[in-house]
Amino acid sequence: MLLVLSGIVNAEQAPLLTLQSAVDIAVQDNPSLAQIQARSEALAAIPSQLGSLPDPVISFNALNLPVDTFNLGQENMTQMQGGISQAFPFFGKLALREEAATYQAEAATHDVTEARFRLLRDVKKAWWALFYLERALEIIIVNQDLLRQFVKIASTKYEVGEGLQQDVLLAQLELSKLLDSEIVLTGAIAKSKAQLNALLDLPANRKINIPKQIAENLPVLQSESALFVQAESYRALLASRRETIHAAQSRLALAEKDFYPDFKVGAYYGGRADTLSGKERADFLSLKLSMTVPIFAASKQSKAVDQRHSELMQQRYALQDQWNNVRVEISTAYSDFQQTKNQALLFKSGIIPQARQTVASMLAGYQVNKVDFLNLVRSQITLYNYETQYWKALTQANQALAQLTAVVGKEEIYE
């Protein structure tokens, strides 16, 4: 069933926005996705920073200056000193810090993929919602024209004494109801266009022109259990959770390393001036080694290990909880798709053709006074409802399909 009517949607000269073109625009221009991408790039720059040694420290000192004269040659221990020192974390700490940051950056990369699938889902759902509203509006316009014809027929029969005035009034009432539905749908279309424009990073009032004809066939999906297997391998959200667990494991290992001391080494050269009598004095070389002493391990390092262990368990529980939610989402979307697909097929192949035959038969019967006007109007309204329900079922099936690809994390989910 294809409705090809012109002049229903006031799109003026707006370019045709297919579902694929809407998806392409969103992926390229959506600011929310760009924000998450920028965050991923920022996190990717962290690991090398954390894996590098602290910057060395260069120092310049004046030692043992006599404050009475400030003469550099007065005292033997007076010297002008320059030196360099370098801190060295205990072996393995830098690698663990870099490792944890790398896992976190990988998680952020998966977050970008997850956000992309969510964006595609939202765009597809918004596009299909707009498609349904415009088809429903077209059906209303068609039925308004038909009811106007009914009013004309009923009026003609009433004028020649073969009909009832209540038939005319009934047709006018049903026509008024359709006019009210048109007003409601027109407002809903404007809201739906604004929502779709926002996803495409376009002005909310930008005109949208979507196709009136589409391929109405719906695919055959893989089995529900096969989709579970696909999601476990491809769902970016689960992959992000796994990387977060790895990062938590690295942080736990790093906390355990904090029981060991960090070191700092330095070398300093002290130059001494000649004595007041002109005698030369040897310069000094000083070497320095220092280390941290974890004497507060019970209240500091041990508590840090407990903290990191709890964080690791939290991430593991979060992954399991997320996996349970993913399976529920797959089952729900799978059921919704199968249900609405079957409904769409039933409306298209059975109910609507039968309803059309009923309307045609009743119209012919009414014109020869074998069918009352009330049943004729009811049959036409019933056909209108069935046609609307068909497009709604088709739309919901495609929206469920968009939801399913997002929760599985893969587009290729068909047999």
Side-chain angles (χ1 to χ4, degrees):
M1 177 194 307
L2 294 177
L3 298 178
V4 185
L5 297 173
S6 61
I8 304 302
V9 180
N10 182 22
E12 296 181 356
Q13 299 301 318
L16 193 67
L17 183 69
T18 64
L19 179 60
Q20 185 59 50
S21 61
V23 166
D24 293 340
I25 293 172
V27 170
Q28 180 178 353
D29 297 336
N30 184 267
S32 178
L33 182 60
Q35 172 191 356
I36 297 174
Q37 178 66 47
R39 174 180 176 271
S40 174
E41 293 172 357
L43 290 177
I46 293 179
S48 63
Q49 301 176 51
L50 296 182
S52 300
L53 286 170
D55 292 334
V57 177
I58 297 177
S59 59
F60 300 95
N61 307 305
L63 301 181
N64 304 309
L65 284 176
V67 295
D68 54 348
T69 63
F70 291 96
N71 191 312
L72 300 181
Q74 178 178 326
E75 302 293 337
N76 286 333
M77 296 304 295
T78 299
Q79 57 186 289
M80 303 302 292
Q81 186 183 74
I84 184 171
S85 61
Q86 175 68 59
F88 293 93
F90 191 82
F91 176 77
K93 286 186 177 180
L94 287 179
L96 287 171
R97 289 171 186 167
E98 183 175 8
E99 184 178 81
T102 300
Y103 285 133
Q104 208 64 56
E106 288 295 327
T109 301
H110 292 302
D111 290 341
V112 175
T113 303
E114 177 70 17
R116 181 179 179 275
F117 271 101
R118 288 200 306 266
L119 175 62
L120 296 182
R121 175 200 63 192
D122 293 343
V123 170
K124 291 176 182 178
K125 284 187 173 183
W127 191 95
W128 279 107
L130 179 58
F131 177 86
Y132 161 70
L133 291 173
E134 292 194 349
R135 300 295 77 74
L137 183 58
E138 289 180 351
I139 295 172
I140 283 180
I141 298 300
V142 171
N143 279 269
Q144 287 176 358
D145 292 339
L146 290 174
L147 281 176
R148 289 188 181 98
Q149 295 177 22
F150 288 175
V151 170
K152 185 176 181 180
I153 294 173
S155 299
T156 300
K157 296 186 69 173
Y158 173 68
E159 290 172 356
V160 298
E162 296 180 1
L164 301 174
Q165 185 182 23
Q166 67 185 36
D167 292 344
V168 179
L169 296 176
L170 175 63
Q172 291 175 339
L173 174 61
E174 294 298 333
L175 178 59
S176 297
K177 290 180 180 179
L178 289 180
L179 291 172
D180 177 66
S181 297
E182 179 185 359
I183 294 172
V184 174
L185 279 175
T186 301
I189 287 174
K191 293 178 183 177
S192 184
K193 287 183 177 180
Q195 293 170 352
L196 182 55
N197 276 327
L199 292 171
L200 304 183
D201 194 30
L202 296 171
N205 62 347
R206 182 181 183 273
K207 296 185 181 300
I208 295 179
N209 180 21
I210 64 173
K212 294 180 175 59
Q213 298 182 6
I214 60 164
E216 300 174 38
N217 55 303
L218 293 168
V220 177
L221 298 179
Q222 297 179 21
S223 67
E224 191 174 352
S225 58
L227 294 180
F228 286 164
V229 176
Q230 296 262 31
E232 192 169 12
S233 300
Y234 289 97
R235 182 69 187 271
L237 181 60
L238 299 177
S240 176
R241 290 289 188 186
R242 295 187 190 102
E243 296 294 345
T244 304
I245 289 175
H246 294 153
Q249 290 172 330
S250 296
R251 293 190 183 101
L252 174 58
L254 179 60
E256 292 171 346
K257 285 278 187 181
D258 279 341
F259 284 101
Y260 300 97
D262 297 330
F263 300 93
K264 187 176 183 179
V265 297
Y268 306 89
Y269 186 87
R272 296 195 297 171
D274 295 342
T275 64
L276 295 178
S277 62
K279 182 181 179 180
E280 292 184 1
R281 292 184 290 189
D283 296 337
F284 288 156
L285 175 63
S286 302
L287 300 177
K288 181 178 180 182
L289 171 65
S290 61
M291 68 181 68
T292 59
V293 181
I295 62 174
F296 304 108
S299 60
K300 187 177 180 181
Q301 281 81 2
S302 294
K303 294 299 181 182
V305 170
D306 293 342
Q307 173 195 342
R308 295 305 187 185
H309 183 268
S310 296
E311 290 173 352
L312 174 59
M313 296 306 299
Q314 174 196 356
Q315 295 301 330
R316 286 175 174 169
Y317 292 138
L319 174 61
Q320 184 60 40
D321 184 59
Q322 195 65 64
W323 173 228
N324 292 335
N325 291 336
V326 166
R327 285 182 289 188
V328 170
E329 290 174 342
I330 291 175
S331 295
T332 301
Y334 188 89
S335 176
D336 289 344
F337 175 78
Q338 298 294 355
Q339 174 189 332
T340 51
K341 176 184 177 180
N342 292 334
Q343 285 179 322
L345 291 174
L346 179 60
F347 278 119
K348 182 178 181 179
S349 61
I351 294 178
I352 291 178
Q354 294 168 4
R356 284 177 174 169
Q357 292 176 358
T358 300
V359 171
S361 175
M362 286 196 169
L363 179 58
Y366 173 73
Q367 291 174 334
V368 295
N369 296 322
K370 290 185 178 181
V371 174
D372 65 89
F373 189 74
L374 178 59
N375 286 331
L376 172 62
V377 173
R378 283 177 175 173
S379 66
Q380 181 59 46
I381 296 301
T382 299
L383 174 59
Y384 150 70
N385 288 330
Y386 287 152
E387 289 176 333
T388 303
Q389 290 175 42
Y390 165 72
W391 288 112
K392 185 175 183 179
L394 184 67
T395 293
Q396 289 177 337
N398 281 284
Q399 288 177 328
L401 192 61
Q403 175 71 14
L404 198 55
T405 56
V407 296
V408 172
K410 187 180 180 184
E411 294 283 350
E412 297 79 14
I413 59 175
Y414 318 125
E415 289 188 352

